[in-house]
């Protein structure tokens, strides 16, 4: 679902780098990914935050994609169905 928001070139894939939680109740899951070409060259990063509000349990997913220079390519938030 959130992967549809990314701008990837042909042959690029995501490689999971790590996960952590944030917030006083662990209400935000944060995953980071490298964007890599077939030869292993890293061309960017993706950070995905999945936040569940403590009051109301509403979820919001935020996706930030950056290129190899750190420039934002995608920055979007949405509520999954």
């Amino acid at each position: 679902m959130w992967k549809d928001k990314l701008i990837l070139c042909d042959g690029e894939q995501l490689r999971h780098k790590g996960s952590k939680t944030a917030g006083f109740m662990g209400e935000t899951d944060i995953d980071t990914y490298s964007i890599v070409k077939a030869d292993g060259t890293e061309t960017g990063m993706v950070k995905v935050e999945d936040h569940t509000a403590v009051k109301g349990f509403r979820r919001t997913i935020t996706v930030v994609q950056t290129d190899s220079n750190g420039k934002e390519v995608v920055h979007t938030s949405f509520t999954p169905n």
Side-chain angles (χ1 to χ4, degrees):
M1 156 187 355
W2 59 265
K3 291 179 183 178
D4 297 337
K5 312 288 185 192
L6 301 177
I7 300 171
L8 299 175
C9 296
D10 288 339
E12 289 183 330
Q13 296 182 4
L14 297 178
R15 182 177 296 154
H16 191 254
K17 293 192 69 121
S19 299
K20 65 180 182 177
T21 57
F24 74 99
M25 293 183 65
E27 68 270 14
T28 304
D29 296 317
I30 303 168
D31 288 293
T32 55
Y33 299 84
S34 291
I35 301 171
V36 294
K37 293 181 183 179
D39 66 1
T41 305
E42 189 174 298
T43 61
M45 298 286 296
V46 175
K47 179 176 163 184
V48 180
E49 294 186 15
D50 188 341
H51 178 265
T52 303
V54 176
K55 292 184 179 179
F57 298 106
R58 181 177 174 201
R59 278 181 67 205
T60 303
I61 297 175
T62 302
V63 180
V64 178
Q65 177 182 349
T66 56
D67 64 15
S68 58
N69 296 320
K71 181 181 176 191
E72 279 189 5
V73 178
V74 173
H75 189 152
T76 187
S77 295
F78 64 96
T79 303
N81 297 354

